Every structure is written in structure tokens, then in C-alpha cells.
Amino acid sequence: MLWISLSRQLIGRVLPVLGTMMFQKREKGEFQLRNWQREIYPHYELLVKVLRARNIKGRDLLSEADCFVEVQLPTSSPFISRTTVAPNCCHPEWNETFRFQIHEAVKNILELTLYDKDVLQNKKLASVKFDLGGLEPGHSHNHTFLFNPKNREELQVEFFLEKGNKPASEVITNGILVAHPCLKIQGTIEEKVNSLWHEDGNRLIKVSVPGAYEKPQSFPKYPVKDSTNTFVFHVNPILQSKLNIVLQQVPELEIPTRILCREEIPLSSLPLDQEVQHVVAVGEEHALTLTLKAEESSRDLDLRLGFDLCEKEQMFLDKRKQVVSKALQKVLKLDEAPQNDEVPVVAVLGSGGGTRAMTSLYGSLAGLQELGFLDTVTYLSGISGSTWCISTIYKNPAWSLTSLDGPTKRARSFVCSSKTGAFSSDQLHYYGQQLLAREKSSLHVSLIDLWGLLIEHFLHQEENPTKLSDQQAAVDQGQNPYPIYAGINVHKNVSSQDFAEWCEFTPYEVGFPKYGAFVPTELFGSEFFMGRLLKSWPEPRICYLQGMWGSAFAINLDDIFQKTIGSGIRFLESKNDINVKDDYETQQLLSPAQLKTQLFIPQGIFAQIITDIFTFRFTCGENFNFLQGLCLHEHYTESKEFLAWKVSHPDASPNRLTPMKKCLYLVDGGFAINSPFPLVLQPQRDVDVILSFDYSLENPFQVLKQTEKYCKERDIPFPRIKLKPEDISEPQECYLFENAENPHVPIVLHFPLVNRTFQKYQAPGVERKTSEEKDFANFTIQDHTYGMMDFTYLPIEFDRLVELSRYNVLNNVQVIQSALHKALQRRQRRRQRQAGR
């Protein structure tokens, strides 16, 4: 295989020189993942021999265990293999071998599960997840997995890895995700003997390909003579799946289904790009004729794999720098405008908080606009309620160039109006029609979609036809800050505090920075598989995104406990026993990319029930998963975005991560961090100053502490958050956090929603004199009026929030100016260093 080695060297060394680099050297000598490239990797044959188990204690106290082992490798096969059952034996012997084909580019994790067979339900005794990346080809490896050191319960397995007969194949990868060529199976079933469908019972043909994107397909009960039935399946050829054809008698009344014939055709037996016929015999006289064709698509992907900003965002930045440069010259009173490569990047963040956050953000933006600072902002990002404000003002492509008084007044009229019309018979009929239309389009429909329609009525009181991609007109000339809306992808049975993948929505792209995978905004909601677009659906109206971005109904009990008492179901963690060793027996050192072996002892029934209750989400935004069918790269763990070093973290279980899921479960990002810091802190955005507006009612520094922890775990530059006791009890209007010694750490200005000097001053330096002026400012933010579920305000309540937020910005003009000046000086020094090289 010398040519394979040479090909990989050429692709790994020559292509980066030509400009399609996946890795770029950092100053510290590390490597940063970049864009996709094509690479060639070999295939291997893996033999897994389940030898024996020792000292196994079954769950049934009256008899010994009836043991068997399930062997599963999802990246190689869609099937679960199992040994025979060893009855009534605590030292079962199997010596059964299972064969898999694996691809070197992929992170292959073998799962072995020991069961005690039971009449009602098989009982899981223990399971192990083993990283196959540490196996050396051509050598036999014996491993003993010790489940219970006290009783010496163990499972012994032998592995043998050898070069496969299949030639090395090319994949597309960005170092995190791997896209194989997609195998498309097209088929036609011809049934020319109509007597197959007897009068005494209907017949049904079912066709399926395990592991394929498409579900099993059934054909009509009453076919017309000489009719043809076609089917299509898309599948990863690495899975070595089969085409299953089943002819069955359709049950009538209480008659059970009867299988008349069954046939399995290995996909590997089908020649590529050739039509072949296959005959399925039905008894002695009848037959079905299948015309099959297999095609392999190795074309470029329909999604973007990469860690750079998309081309259109980069074009926006070039245009926006010119606007920011002129604004900086004005607000900092500079003799001349800074050059483009000296212009600092400023991001404004709005936290969650429902209508309170939406209303307050209008005031914060108005304050920035009044001071001339709004034109110095490059990114405007929001979460939850803040997204309702941002997505509304971006209906106007020139919103930041005109006064915000108009948009604020319109928002006021809707917030202060009655919401009873949202539940009128006409509106309910409208909701039903909209949801039914989505369901007929095969889109996932949930309570989140209804919530989005309610928000649409609350914000506009009419149908809002706009889509997120319509906002491209608001940024194509760099005239406004670039909007970034935040959501998180969660697992249904995992707390969002333990696992949340940040998903960004922009006018041009929707995607996961963690995976380096993005789709055009117009195609969000369409069906992708293995990186290829299979079916395009219309882009959802923005109201459905607003419902998802602010999906308070997606909360679970663990989230409630986190927010009310500061901790969730941590008391249950000890129930889930996970033993980890670097390598059993040899204790050899793992490579940086290799995952530690994980041993799992199942929870007790009570603990599992409680865990399920706490982590169950009443609803969430289900969307087609555009990552489905992609695999995780063998070295994905080297990316610091993945917390695979935490053995209990889902990142350490690649077989359970998002690319292996059929759906995305997108919810309000506030369930993780109630401010979109992770999206603007990506290194490629290179943000210098962050203006964080926190509209929380309690603990106005929680998002900062959570972000500090988030950044520390991922080695992202972020200032240390040092607070005094009085800051917690009586927070100020504005805090500045920085690291003067590290220019890569952004300067963070944090604005809690507090009513301090506003009570005394109606404008900076202008005291309130009349009783009416004093009464207007005499209110408490924590009043129940501004609760999360309060959607209707009195006019004075709306005005108070807007004016307070505006004033808190105006009253800290010098702090903002100082931060901008420091950031400009940093950029200038960086430019001088680069010029001196």
C-alpha cells in the first residue's frame, strides 16, 4: 500500500501549500482547525472475539445469570450482534467471533453490553465503551474489562486488526467531521403475476435498508396489474448494510401478520453505476423482479465544513470596518480615522428575560445610538427575549441609520395592548392552519411552533411573512451590526447544564461552531444526509425561530432547580457508576486523540426514574438534523470545543453525539448561559470589546461566572471575574473586566439591570426635581410586573424599562470610551508588531 501512504502525504502536505489548508500554525505552536479538504484513508478488518466472563452475579437472586453479550459498532454496522445465551452460569464461555469493517478516518468506539436474559425483559448488567484507535494492525490484543473489582466480575475479549481488502477511499473532512461518499440505491419492483394478491387476503411489500436515511417503504395493498413501484435509499457504504425485501399478508381484523417470503441483498454485491435485476421467488410459481442500481456520490458537500467565517460575513466585515473607523474618529475625537486593520471589533450582547429583555434592549440600543457608539458596533447578538427585539428592528434594512424612537413606540403599542386577541377563535383557527401546513410538509411540529405563532401575534398582531435570510439586505452594505441569534442543541435525557451545543443563526448561515458545520440560512429546515441535500423545504418564517430562541416551555425540572436553588440532580450522580482506566492490564499511555475506556454499571430503577423525570423536556424545537450521516474524525477530541476529557460528558461518547441523531433538539440558549458569549468569543471573530447587557432579575453576574467557566474549560481567552461582596448585594450600573497583560483577552463591559442613580437623575448630571419625575423613577426591577411570564405592561412600566436602560448607558459614556480607546491601542500595537516582522 505504498501508493496510499504517498497519496496521504501529498494531500496532507501539498494541498495546504496550495491554499486548502485544514491546519494553520498558531503563535504558541498549536494547530487550529480550518477548512475542509479531501483525504485518503485505508480500511481495516476488525475481528472481535468474545471469550468469556467471570464471576457474574445476575439480578435474579433465585438463580444464576443467563448471560449473553451484545456487540455494537455504529460506525461500521447498523446491526447489533450478540452471542449465544450461556444458561445458569456465573463463568460463561463463548469464544464467538464478530467481524467489522472500519475506516481509519473515523472515531470507532466499540460497545459491549453484558445481559442477563429474562422472559419479560433482558437485564443489563454492565457495558463498556472501548476506543479502537489504540489497536495496532497485525497484532492480537487481549483485554479484560473489570466491571466489579470487589467481586472480580470481568469480561474477556480478544481483538485482531488487519488491513482490509477494500482499497483506501477518499473522504471530505474538516478534522472534526468526516463525510464519506454517499451510496444511493434506486430500485423498481415489478409484479407481473397479479394472482399474488389473492382475494382471501391483501399482500404488502416492505423494502428497507438498515442505517439508511429513508424509513422502510411499503407499497400499495391493491396494485394494478403490470404496475411498477420505485424506491430510493441513501446510506453510508461503510456500514455494509443490506436491502431487505419482505412480502407479507396484511392482517385483517384479528388475523396476525404472516410473512410469505423474505430476501436480503448485501449492498456490497451491487455493482456501481449498473442496472441489475434480482428475482425474489414467492412460492413455486410466482416471483418479484427487482431492478436495482447503486450509485456513489463523491461530489462536494451542500453544507460548509470549516472554522473560518463564511465568505459573506467576511465581506460584511470589510465594509463594516469603514463605518466603524469613521465612528471611532468621531466618538474618540481622533485626528484621523483608524486604518481598517486597526479597527477594533465590538460586540453588543443582550441577555434573555422575555418581554423584560426585549423592552430593555430597545433602551440600551437607543443609548448607544445617542452617544454615537452604535456605529462602532460590529456584532449584535441576543438570546431569548433579546432576539425578539433584534429580529424585529432588522425588518428595516437601515434601522441603525434612523432614530430608534419609531421602532420603540411600535413595540410599546404591542406590549401595552391586550393579549386576549391571541386566543380568539379566528386566531386559534389561524394557528391550526399554520401548524397543519407544516405537518403536511413532513416538518416536525411541537408546542414550540405554537409558541412562535403566539410571539408573532404579541410582537406584530398580524402575520409576519419575513424570514431570517431577508435580513441580508440589512447587512449587505455593512450599514448595521451583524446580527447573531443564539440557540442550543440539547439531548432529551441530559441536563442542559451538562450538555448544550451552541447553534448560531445569522442572515447568511445557520450552524454549529463546535463542529465547524454550517448550512445556508435559506436551507435551514431542509433534509440533509452525509452532507448532501436530499430534499429542500421552504425556509421557516422567523416567528418559528423566535419561538425556539425564546422557548420557555422547553424547560425541565433540572433547569428549574438550577435556577431556583443553584443545583440540579447532582445527588443522583453517584447512582450511575462509571469506572475508567487508561488501559486495563498494560496501563499504557493513551494518545491525545484516544478516549479512555468507559465502564457503566446501570442505575437502579428508582434512580433512573427520578433522572428521567428531572431531565424530561415537555417540548423542544425538533428540526431535521443537517449533520446526520456525518462521522466524527479519529482526532476530534483534540479540539478544545469538545470536553471529551470529562469521562462522564456526552462529548466522550461519540456514538451518541449530534451527527448520529436524526433530529436537532433546539431550545432557548438561556438554559445553558443566559447570554450569547460563546458565539462572539469564537477566535475567528476576534472580538476586542464586549458590551454585555444583562436583564436578569437575580444574580446579575451569573452569566459572567458561567462564561468564565466555559472559557476556562476550552482555553478561550476571557478576563477573570473578580467581585466584591457589595457587588452582589448592591450591583453598580457598569463593570469593566480586562486582562491588561494579555491582548487576546477581550475587554468586557457588563451592564446589570439596576435602578441606582436613575432614581435621582433623569439624565447624567441632571437631577429630578418634580414629584412626577421622582415617582416615574421610583420602582423596583424585581417587581412581579417584570416577571418572565408577564407579556403585557402598562405604558409607564414599558417607559420605565426603556428609559432606565438608556440612562445606564448614557451615564457610563466615559467607561465605554475608555474601553474603545484601549482596544484601538491594542490593534495599533498589533499592526506595528506585524509590520516589524
Side-chain angles (χ1 to χ4, degrees), residues 91 158 163 169 274 303 311 346 367 391 470 476 495 509 555 617 665 699 808 835:
H91 305 295
E158 179 182 353
K163 281 289 184 69
S169 61
Q274 296 180 30
L303 52 76
E311 181 180 355
V346 180
S391 57
D470 295 337
D476 59 0
S495 167
E509 284 190 331
I555 200 168
R617 294 187 184 279
Y665 300 101
N699 196 349
N808 284 351

Side-chain angles (χ1 to χ4, degrees), residues 146-153 577 579 581:
L146 187 62
F147 295 131
N148 188 334
K150 182 179 179 180
N151 298 325
R152 295 297 300 175
E153 292 182 323
D577 190 11
N579 299 318
K581 291 187 179 181

Side-chain angles (χ1 to χ4, degrees), residues 205-210 242-247 259-266 277-282 288 290 292:
I205 300 175
K206 286 190 175 183
V207 184
S208 63
V209 175
K242 301 174 182 178
L243 176 66
N244 296 328
I245 304 102
V246 176
L247 177 63
I259 303 298
L260 302 178
C261 73
R262 183 191 303 272
E263 184 99 3
E264 291 183 343
I265 304 174
Q277 287 193 336
H278 192 91
V279 178
V280 179
V282 184
L288 296 174
L290 276 69
L292 303 172

Side-chain angles (χ1 to χ4, degrees), residues 223-410:
V224 179
K225 185 176 182 180
D226 298 330
S227 66
T228 59
N229 301 285
T230 61
F231 57 83
V232 175
F233 291 99
H234 295 83
V235 66
N236 189 338
I238 302 298
L239 294 184
Q240 296 289 290
S241 191
K242 301 174 182 178
L243 176 66
N244 296 328
I245 304 102
V246 176
L247 177 63
Q248 66 183 41
Q249 180 177 327
V250 178
E252 294 182 356
L253 300 177
E254 298 181 356
I255 301 175
T257 300
R258 185 162 62 95
I259 303 298
L260 302 178
C261 73
R262 183 191 303 272
E263 184 99 3
E264 291 183 343
I265 304 174
L267 300 185
S268 57
S269 68
L270 300 177
L272 293 177
D273 304 319
Q274 296 180 30
E275 278 195 356
V276 295
Q277 287 193 336
H278 192 91
V279 178
V280 179
V282 184
E284 297 180 356
E285 300 180 1
H286 309 300
L288 296 174
T289 301
L290 276 69
T291 301
L292 303 172
K293 185 177 182 181
E295 298 175 309
E296 198 171 82
S297 173
S298 57
R299 62 182 172 86
D300 290 344
L301 306 180
D302 295 313
L303 52 76
R304 182 174 71 89
L305 291 185
F307 295 87
D308 281 335
L309 303 177
C310 72
E311 181 180 355
K312 291 184 178 179
E313 183 176 343
Q314 294 182 38
M315 293 172 62
F316 161 82
L317 291 174
D318 291 337
K319 297 174 182 178
R320 186 63 180 174
K321 284 178 181 178
Q322 301 174 25
V323 176
V324 174
S325 176
K326 294 177 181 178
L328 285 172
Q329 181 184 13
K330 184 176 181 180
V331 298
L332 298 182
K333 299 179 174 57
L334 304 175
D335 294 334
E336 59 183 15
Q339 299 185 35
N340 278 3
D341 56 356
E342 297 176 338
V343 173
V345 177
V346 180
V348 169
L349 309 186
S351 79
T355 306
R356 177 182 67 253
M358 180 192 74
T359 304
S360 300
L361 186 55
Y362 276 106
S364 300
L365 294 176
L368 292 174
Q369 186 181 60
E370 186 173 337
L371 294 173
F373 290 150
L374 190 55
D375 286 338
T376 70
V377 176
T378 299
Y379 292 107
L380 175 57
S381 184
I383 208 167
S384 191
S386 289
T387 66
W388 303 347
C389 168
I390 299 172
S391 57
T392 301
I393 60 178
Y394 271 84
K395 290 180 65 177
N396 178 5
W399 72 267
S400 68
L401 307 180
T402 58
S403 173
L404 279 168
D405 287 346
T408 305
K409 289 179 181 178
R410 283 193 294 273

Side-chain angles (χ1 to χ4, degrees), residues 54-119:
R54 289 289 178 263
N55 307 309
I56 301 303
K57 302 292 185 182
R59 295 289 180 87
D60 190 348
L61 300 179
L62 301 179
S63 63
E64 293 184 344
D66 302 324
C67 292
F68 68 92
V69 177
E70 282 191 352
V71 184
Q72 186 176 12
L73 185 55
T75 50
S76 174
S77 173
F79 308 105
I80 299 177
S81 303
R82 63 165 57 182
T83 66
T84 56
V85 177
N88 294 319
C89 183
C90 60
H91 305 295
E93 293 265 354
W94 291 287
N95 294 309
E96 297 181 29
T97 301
F98 304 93
R99 182 181 295 271
F100 299 94
Q101 178 182 279
I102 64 176
H103 196 271
E104 189 184 47
V106 175
K107 174 62 74 176
N108 294 291
I109 304 296
L110 184 74
E111 300 184 19
L112 301 165
T113 307
L114 179 65
Y115 283 94
D116 181 3
K117 184 175 177 59
D118 190 81
V119 176

Side-chain angles (χ1 to χ4, degrees), residues 598-636:
Q598 300 180 33
L599 295 174
F600 296 85
I601 306 300
Q603 293 182 342
I605 295 178
F606 172 75
Q608 186 60 56
I609 291 175
I610 297 298
T611 300
D612 291 342
I613 291 174
F614 269 71
T615 57
F616 174 77
R617 294 187 184 279
F618 181 65
T619 185
C620 58
E622 290 191 31
N623 293 270
F624 291 117
N625 180 12
F626 55 85
L627 300 184
Q628 186 181 355
L630 299 173
C631 299
L632 284 161
H633 192 275
E634 166 68 14
H635 297 284
Y636 86 93

Side-chain angles (χ1 to χ4, degrees), residues 49 102 193 484 506 525 556 644 663 768 772 822:
K49 187 173 184 180
I102 64 176
V193 185
I484 305 175
T506 74
N556 58 22
C663 293
R768 300 185 182 275
E772 183 179 355
K822 289 179 180 178

